[in-house]
């Protein structure tokens, strides 16, 4: 029997990933895919958190194309 980690652990992992030293576009794509996975699993709050974090990174990196993709998935 597999037990899912608690929400606070997943949120902490998202925060660490958003601050991890990585090229911004790769980080945005990774968070976007993770958000899609959470949305498929029915964890909408975690999916929105992923989209929000990746949207913040996209605005800082001026990644217009990725920001438009994120805005289609997530409306703040």
């Amino acid at each position: 029997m597999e037990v899912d980690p608690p929400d606070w652990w997943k949120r902490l992992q998202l925060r660490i990933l958003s601050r991890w030293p990585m090229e911004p576009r790769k980080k945005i794509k990774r968070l976007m895919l993770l958000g899609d996975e959470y949305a498929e699993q029915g964890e909408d709050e975690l999916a929105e958190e992923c989209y929000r974090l990746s949207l913040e990174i996209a605005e800082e990196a001026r990644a217009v194309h990725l920001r438009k993709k994120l805005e289609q998935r997530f409306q703040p």
Side-chain angles (χ1 to χ4, degrees):
M1 185 170 160
E2 195 171 313
V3 177
D4 289 334
D7 263 0
W8 64 268
W9 177 248
K10 290 180 181 178
R11 289 182 192 275
L12 178 65
Q13 289 176 331
L14 290 176
R15 297 280 180 190
I16 291 171
L17 178 62
S18 69
R19 288 171 174 79
W20 197 260
M22 184 187 308
E23 200 244 324
R25 295 183 196 292
K26 286 184 180 181
K27 195 183 309 185
I28 293 166
K29 289 178 184 178
R30 186 169 290 177
L31 282 168
M32 238 184 341
L33 290 174
L34 194 57
D36 292 343
E37 288 178 19
Y38 285 142
E40 285 179 11
Q41 295 172 0
E43 298 182 26
D44 295 330
E45 289 181 17
L46 286 171
E48 288 179 10
E49 181 76 14
C50 288
Y51 296 145
R52 187 185 60 76
L53 288 171
S54 55
L55 189 61
E56 288 175 7
I57 296 168
E59 288 175 356
E60 289 175 8
R62 296 184 183 132
V64 177
H65 177 69
L66 292 172
R67 198 171 87 202
K68 287 182 181 179
K69 276 184 163 180
L70 284 165
E71 288 173 351
Q72 290 174 352
R73 293 181 174 137
F74 170 67
Q75 299 298 323

